[in-house]
Amino acid sequence: MFQNAIKAAVLVGAAWTATAGAPAIGERMTYPDFESQWRNPTAGRGGNPWDPAKPMGLGQQAPLTPEYQAIFEASLRDQAKGGQGNNYQAACVLSGMPRIMSLAGPMEMLVQQIHTLMIFQNALPRRIYTDGRDWPKSTEPSFQGYSIGKWIDQDGDGRFDVLEAETRNFAGPRALESSGLPLHTDNQTIVKERLFLDKSNPDILHNEITTIDNAFTRPWTVDKQYVRERKARWSEYYCRESDTQVFIGKEQYLLSADGKLMPASKDQPPPDLRYFGQSQR
Amino acid sequence: MLFRCSIAAMAVAAAMIIAGMPASGNDMKYPAWDGQWRNPTANRGGNPWDPNKPMGRGQEAPLTPEYQAMFEAGLKNLENGGQGNSRGTRCELPGMPKVMNFSQVMEIVVRPAITYFVPLHYPTRRIYTDGRDWPKDEPPSFTGYSIGKWIDEDGDGRYDVLEVETRNFIGPRVFESSGIPLHKDNRTIVQERIFLDKENHDLLHNVITTIDHALTRPWTVHRIHLRQQNPVWPEYNCREGNNHVTIGTEQYFLSADGKLMPVRKDQPPPDISHFRQSQ
């Protein structure tokens, strides 16, 4: 009888160990079903507005300060003349946060205990740390910033529903969309996000993004929606300058059919060639 | 006693239920590869394809005479200040198998259907382990298309080895920055056996065999990666801070003050005849 009791205890213990000793499984079960390929349903259809409910450019009605509204309008004028304005993507400068969350291409999410990994087809990977860490004191600023997140069980059912993330520590220049809608050059941006599945359709992922930036008169919140792609396909994307464009520093030129430099805008001066020997010019 | 037997039976049942949980069963089978891995010899003056031999000619790559000549021409061009066969300075993708030299840190994430190799700035490599066949309509790429199979080599109920085959490439690709070339027909097949070191679970082995028409025989190298305990993920953009400028087929340097410079002695400046004379 005593032996049976011990056996029972061993078995109960084994059962306990099997559950308690397998943290990855137990903990993964508490996360929402974010692991998938997600697409912006409107990307690639002629622009990717920051607020998807409004047209790009001036139609965004961005709450810019007068100084940054003037910078934005100057950028629009430059683009109208064939320039890049505040949009440096053609030179393969990183889009950074929060613009990458417009999902110009598909994104995959992998939820892990330490961080949630976002793998973008058209941008560098992003990590949102959810291990309770504090803001680092000595991390280099970056275009994507540093993201700390927290999982929330909003309805108390024992499963997390919402990933809240805050991102700081930026480098620039960054713009919110290709129209050149600017963020402040002080790079003191704070981006807050709430990511959660749609309650009536778990194939829709919401991302409520609030951007706090000194270029704005108030925090600016937009609601982006991503659509789950169950038959994921991936293209190999790597930013390279177009075969017809050349960037010398941030100055853009065109390449003619015969492989020679051409001006990209009217009256653009040629590049400075002072480092070449006089006799070669 | 009957009561105690019932308890025991319930415990057995509970244990069986737990054992039968599909998610846990699957998870328990995979080796612990998750984390950041680096090449312990990267950034120490070159990254030879076979880490046991010096770069360049020292690799003794089994090249066909045609591709040996191409390699030698690339080396000569490098000696003259050119880029040789390597296109890394143009920020073009290294592709497979070179990307597995871990020139920069890489994150590995294992899921039952896909194992992910996530480099700092190159496209993520997905190794499909869901039993799929080679796709018929996949566009070729520098990274190729990878299908893998998990092996439980010692029969202990846990997978030990990931065997991978990768095909469907575009190019040009080279093995290392010295410019050891792969064949331009892009019919490379890369086979890998990836496994943790039995003694040290922070070492990951990758035995890589490359079958390519530029080679006289399959070429196998054994690479080892080291797990980082406190990973830091820097942001790296090949274009940012890249001081190489390509105009047509010519390479130039960008000076610290943002002006064009020659990369070799007596290199002529670019032709600017399309700019207005008055400028």
Side-chain angles (χ1 to χ4, degrees):
Chain A
M1 191 169 87
F2 183 65
Q3 278 182 328
N4 282 343
I6 290 174
K7 276 183 193 165
V10 168
L11 287 167
V12 171
W16 170 255
T17 308
T19 44
I25 300 126
E27 284 159 20
R28 190 171 301 157
M29 290 298 285
T30 66
Y31 295 108
D33 183 17
F34 280 12
E35 292 207 348
S36 189
Q37 185 190 71
W38 298 95
R39 285 177 181 274
N40 171 353
T42 61
R45 292 185 199 166
N48 199 346
W50 176 242
D51 182 343
K54 293 177 179 172
M56 282 183 72
L58 292 171
Q60 287 282 297
Q61 299 172 298
L64 290 165
T65 63
E67 179 191 357
Y68 275 80
Q69 183 69 32
I71 290 170
F72 180 33
E73 288 179 14
S75 166
L76 290 170
R77 282 196 296 275
D78 184 56
Q79 289 186 347
K81 284 193 288 182
Q84 300 298 309
N86 302 327
N87 180 37
Y88 297 111
Q89 251 190 349
C92 293
V93 173
L94 298 175
S95 296
M97 276 289 286
R99 184 175 170 188
I100 51 169
M101 297 314 294
S102 284
L103 302 197
M107 166 189 75
E108 183 162 15
M109 290 180 74
L110 296 173
V111 178
Q112 304 178 84
Q113 277 179 265
I114 293 174
H115 58 239
T116 291
L117 179 61
M118 293 172 159
I119 303 172
F120 299 88
Q121 181 176 283
N122 297 39
L124 302 182
R126 178 182 173 208
R127 292 169 178 86
I128 300 174
Y129 296 100
T130 52
D131 56 356
R133 69 180 63 190
D134 206 351
W135 296 104
K137 299 215 169 9
S138 60
T139 302
E140 281 285 308
S142 60
F143 285 80
Q144 295 205 355
Y146 196 93
S147 298
I148 291 181
K150 190 179 173 189
W151 287 101
I152 313 279
D153 175 8
Q154 208 159 40
D155 53 10
D157 67 352
R159 286 180 70 92
F160 294 128
D161 318 295
V162 179
L163 176 58
E164 285 187 351
E166 186 168 313
T167 306
R168 298 169 176 237
N169 198 33
F170 290 104
R174 287 166 294 123
L176 288 170
E177 52 174 41
S178 59
S179 67
L181 213 165
L183 289 154
H184 202 286
T185 53
D186 68 7
N187 290 316
Q188 298 284 312
T189 320
I190 298 173
V191 182
K192 295 186 179 189
E193 292 169 280
R194 278 175 57 83
L195 288 134
F196 54 93
L197 294 177
D198 191 278
K199 285 199 174 149
S200 55
N201 182 356
D203 287 342
I204 293 176
L205 180 69
H206 293 265
N207 191 2
E208 288 174 0
I209 311 177
T210 299
T211 307
I212 301 160
D213 190 272
N214 290 329
F216 301 152
T217 54
R218 57 170 171 81
W220 187 13
T221 301
V222 301
D223 179 11
K224 290 189 174 285
Q225 294 183 19
Y226 313 131
V227 176
R228 191 192 302 270
E229 181 59 63
R230 293 199 181 270
K231 292 181 179 169
R233 293 194 66 163
W234 297 96
S235 299
E236 187 175 60
Y237 173 87
Y238 198 62
C239 188
R240 66 191 292 271
E241 292 156 12
S242 144
D243 290 335
T244 57
Q245 287 177 320
V246 174
F247 283 83
I248 299 176
K250 287 209 168 79
E251 192 68 23
Q252 181 198 11
Y253 303 92
L254 296 178
L255 202 63
S256 67
D258 55 354
K260 292 179 186 151
L261 272 184
M262 285 170 61
S265 56
K266 193 169 173 258
D267 299 330
Q268 183 182 22
D272 188 326
L273 301 176
R274 72 180 68 176
Y275 290 123
F276 291 82
Q278 288 298 322
S279 60
Q280 296 166 350
R281 274 187 270 169
Chain B
M1 187 165 140
L2 185 64
F3 175 69
R4 283 177 185 141
C5 286
S6 300
I7 291 174
M10 282 165 67
V12 170
M16 286 172 71
I17 288 166
I18 289 155
M21 284 168 68
S24 43
N26 281 338
D27 279 352
M28 293 297 284
K29 281 189 167 184
Y30 294 95
W33 289 7
D34 289 7
Q36 186 191 70
W37 297 87
R38 70 179 175 87
N39 172 354
T41 62
N43 301 319
R44 292 187 196 165
N47 198 345
W49 178 238
D50 182 341
N52 296 313
K53 293 178 178 173
M55 282 184 75
R57 291 187 190 95
Q59 287 283 297
E60 301 173 287
L63 291 165
T64 63
E66 180 191 355
Y67 275 77
Q68 183 68 37
M70 214 179 273
F71 175 41
E72 296 286 344
L75 288 172
K76 279 195 196 86
N77 182 264
L78 278 172
E79 284 161 16
N80 291 330
Q83 300 304 313
N85 301 327
S86 176
R87 298 162 76 93
T89 55
R90 300 172 70 154
C91 291
E92 295 199 0
L93 290 176
M96 277 289 287
K98 188 183 175 198
V99 73
M100 297 310 285
N101 71 8
F102 283 47
S103 61
Q104 287 160 346
V105 291
M106 180 114 61
E107 179 165 8
I108 302 177
V109 181
V110 177
R111 292 288 185 264
I114 304 175
T115 292
Y116 300 81
F117 284 76
V118 188
L120 275 189
H121 64 106
Y122 297 130
T124 290
R125 183 178 175 214
R126 292 172 176 81
I127 300 172
Y128 296 101
T129 52
D130 54 358
R132 69 179 62 189
D133 206 350
W134 296 103
K136 298 209 167 18
D137 57 348
E138 188 72 15
S141 61
F142 286 93
T143 312
Y145 196 92
S146 297
I147 291 180
K149 189 179 173 190
W150 285 102
I151 313 281
D152 174 9
E153 213 158 40
D154 54 9
D156 68 351
R158 286 179 70 89
Y159 294 128
D160 318 299
V161 178
L162 179 58
E163 286 187 351
V164 189
E165 188 164 308
T166 306
R167 299 169 176 237
N168 199 31
F169 293 105
I170 53 172
R173 286 166 295 121
V174 296
F175 283 98
E176 53 171 39
S177 57
S178 71
I180 301 174
L182 288 141
H183 201 285
K184 63 184 178 192
D185 69 6
N186 290 314
R187 298 184 68 175
T188 320
I189 298 173
V190 182
Q191 295 175 336
E192 293 168 279
R193 275 177 59 82
I194 310 172
F195 52 95
L196 287 180
D197 190 276
K198 285 198 175 151
E199 309 283 310
N200 180 353
H201 285 188
D202 288 335
L203 291 182
L204 186 71
H205 296 261
N206 191 359
V207 180
I208 311 177
T209 300
T210 308
I211 302 159
D212 189 90
H213 289 146
L215 305 173
T216 55
R217 57 171 170 80
W219 187 14
T220 300
V221 302
H222 185 165
R223 304 193 65 94
I224 296 175
H225 310 300
L226 189 64
R227 196 196 311 256
Q228 290 289 95
Q229 292 303 337
N230 294 301
V232 173
W233 297 100
E235 183 172 80
Y236 181 85
N237 180 9
C238 185
R239 290 284 170 193
E240 198 77 9
N242 181 15
N243 58 359
H244 294 265
V245 176
T246 307
I247 300 175
T249 55
E250 275 293 301
Q251 286 269 325
Y252 304 91
F253 274 136
L254 198 64
S255 68
D257 56 353
K259 297 184 175 71
L260 221 50
M261 287 171 65
V263 292
R264 61 177 188 273
K265 194 166 174 270
D266 300 329
Q267 183 182 19
D271 186 323
I272 53 169
S273 55
H274 287 305
F275 289 81
R276 284 170 56 178
Q277 288 304 316
S278 61
Q279 295 164 355

